[in-house]
Amino acid sequence: MSRLLVLLCLLSALAAAGERPLELVTLQYPPYQYQDGAEVKGIAVDVVREAFRRMGRSVHVGVYPWGRSLAMAESGQADAVFTLYKTPEREARLDYSRQVLMPQEVSLFVLHDSPVRFDGRLSQLAGYRFGAVRAVSYGAVFDAAVRQGGIRIVEMAASGEQNLDKLLARRFDILVSNRLGAWDIIRRQHAEARVRELKPPVEQIPSYIAFARKPELAGMRDRFDAALETMKRDGSYGRLVSPAAP
């Protein structure tokens, strides 16, 4: 390695060391991201941290209620938010990664003794009561059915755990959730014998990281995309994500 290249690498490292950590926000959403004591863990957290490590940037990840996390990113109080679905309203205020951070599935869950059946058409569930988490998008298909009045949400919860508690208490008939996230909560609450998943999933949806629109973040989204794309090509992305596969 030439002396000039060594010097450039050293200057780059010193510059990175002097930069403040990027403030990333997310929600309690295991197994993707969750607070475990003083640490924030999860498969999405591992992927995000590795991408920024390759970019030479340190990050701090904070876990907040989802509505607050979105507001922090949209106002610029935070630098980026993950994992989120695309909606026109959010795309107007945030710079989404072009690379998919996490592919996800949205599924429906009912009590084991429920008579509800599902063949993939939300219209057949119009007479049932749904529970959801406040400020969470469940993808274009479900969100459109709610806006058009075909789906009736009667209970809003602050978290997935609270939403499951309400289903178990029969406050509503059908719980909508990210599939892996719901099963993580069901297992932790030892409710496997009381809840069943309706098939097929409502929708398969990509989720992303999105950056605040601040001058100092110019080019950050493109650098993140390049790092994540490299991770997918070299197999490191697959190794980080595979433990969560159902």
Side-chain angles (χ1 to χ4, degrees):
M1 184 181 292
S2 70
R3 290 183 179 179
L4 178 58
L5 185 54
V6 170
L7 178 60
L8 289 174
C9 290
L10 179 59
L11 290 174
S12 177
L14 289 173
E19 291 175 320
R20 67 172 178 83
L22 293 172
E23 186 66 30
L24 312 181
V25 292
T26 186
L27 75 163
Q28 185 78 2
Y29 201 30
Y32 300 99
Q33 55 262 355
Y34 58 95
Q35 189 85 41
D36 184 10
E39 294 185 75
V40 179
K41 300 179 179 179
I43 57 174
V45 174
D46 292 342
V47 169
V48 166
R49 283 183 173 144
E50 175 60 16
F52 280 107
R53 185 194 68 78
R54 295 184 181 209
M55 294 163 57
R57 289 301 301 260
S58 60
V59 298
H60 173 263
V61 181
V63 175
Y64 303 97
W66 187 232
R68 181 179 174 188
S69 286
L70 279 174
M72 289 174 70
E74 290 171 353
S75 68
Q77 184 180 351
D79 296 304
V81 57
F82 68 98
T83 51
L84 72 171
Y85 301 151
K86 282 186 177 180
T87 69
E89 297 78 15
R90 293 174 184 176
E91 286 189 276
R93 296 188 289 264
L94 297 165
D95 286 332
Y96 274 74
S97 61
R98 294 185 177 91
Q99 287 285 321
V100 174
L101 179 62
M102 285 282 148
Q104 300 187 32
E105 286 183 331
V106 170
S107 284
L108 304 176
F109 296 81
V110 297
L111 293 177
H112 204 273
D113 61 1
S114 170
V116 176
R117 294 293 181 268
F118 182 55
D119 64 6
R121 294 174 299 139
L122 286 174
S123 58
Q124 73 182 120
L125 304 177
Y128 293 101
R129 303 166 302 158
F130 282 73
V133 176
R134 190 174 296 108
V136 170
S137 167
Y138 294 100
V141 172
F142 189 86
D143 290 355
V146 173
R147 285 195 306 272
Q148 294 163 9
I151 292 298
R152 184 168 56 103
I153 295 178
V154 299
E155 291 281 348
M156 280 289 189
S159 67
E161 288 83 356
Q162 186 182 94
N163 209 28
L164 178 62
D165 288 341
K166 290 184 177 186
L167 175 66
L168 295 175
R170 301 181 185 272
R171 297 271 293 274
F172 55 81
D173 306 304
I174 305 174
L175 180 151
V176 58
S177 177
N178 167 277
R179 181 173 183 268
L180 289 185
W183 276 115
D184 182 88
I185 295 168
I186 290 167
R187 292 184 184 109
R188 283 189 284 110
Q189 296 195 13
H190 307 290
E192 297 96 322
R194 301 179 62 190
V195 177
R196 62 182 173 87
E197 179 184 354
L198 299 179
K199 298 291 183 72
V202 174
E203 189 176 1
Q204 295 187 349
I205 310 170
S207 66
Y208 303 83
I209 186 171
F211 293 86
R213 291 182 172 169
K214 300 193 288 187
E216 62 267 32
L217 296 178
M220 187 68 67
R221 186 267 309 275
D222 294 338
R223 292 173 60 201
F224 183 89
D225 277 336
L228 186 54
E229 184 179 15
T230 299
M231 290 170 61
K232 291 177 180 179
R233 284 202 311 264
D234 67 22
S236 56
Y237 176 89
R239 287 191 293 272
L240 290 171
V241 171
S242 60

